[in-house]
Amino acid sequence: MSDTLKLSDARKGARGVIVKVGDHCHHADHAVELERRLLELGFVEGARVELLHEGLFGRDPIAMKVDDMRVALRRHEAASISIQLETGLA
């Protein structure tokens, strides 16, 4: 069975499918705004992701492929996205 983890915890080369965007507890306005921005960028449930690059210092920012586009995010933004890793990949 596949592992589920936060996108911010994934390592370069990891591939998977988005299973959750946002924390789904909309108590803070900034959390609602971040979730809205991520959805507009194409981070939707079911989208395929691949981690392409990590920054040199603190592994931040990270660059990833989301379906057919490339996007860079800060790790704290990627922490609100959960992915299910493909079997056999970390």
Side-chain angles (χ1 to χ4, degrees):
M1 186 164 185
S2 299
D3 294 323
T4 301
L5 74 154
K6 300 286 186 185
L7 184 55
S8 60
D9 296 331
R11 301 298 269 179
K12 183 177 177 181
R15 295 179 185 186
V17 176
I18 296 175
V19 293
K20 181 178 165 187
V21 178
D23 294 326
H24 298 298
C25 71
H26 297 176
H27 297 262
D29 288 339
H30 68 276
V32 173
E33 178 65 17
L34 176 58
E35 183 176 347
R36 184 189 63 78
R37 285 183 40 232
L38 291 170
L39 291 169
E40 288 175 353
L41 285 171
F43 289 91
V44 295
E45 293 176 8
R48 299 185 57 73
V49 295
E50 177 183 358
L51 197 80
L52 301 173
H53 180 74
E54 299 175 316
L56 293 176
F57 301 104
R59 299 175 35 228
D60 204 16
I62 56 176
M64 67 212 71
K65 183 177 177 183
V66 181
D67 286 333
D68 290 327
M69 69 177 172
R70 278 32 175 208
V71 181
L73 291 178
R74 294 180 182 125
R75 283 208 177 267
H76 76 269
E77 296 167 333
S80 65
I81 301 169
S82 297
I83 64 169
Q84 183 172 17
L85 293 178
E86 288 183 356
T87 304
L89 297 173

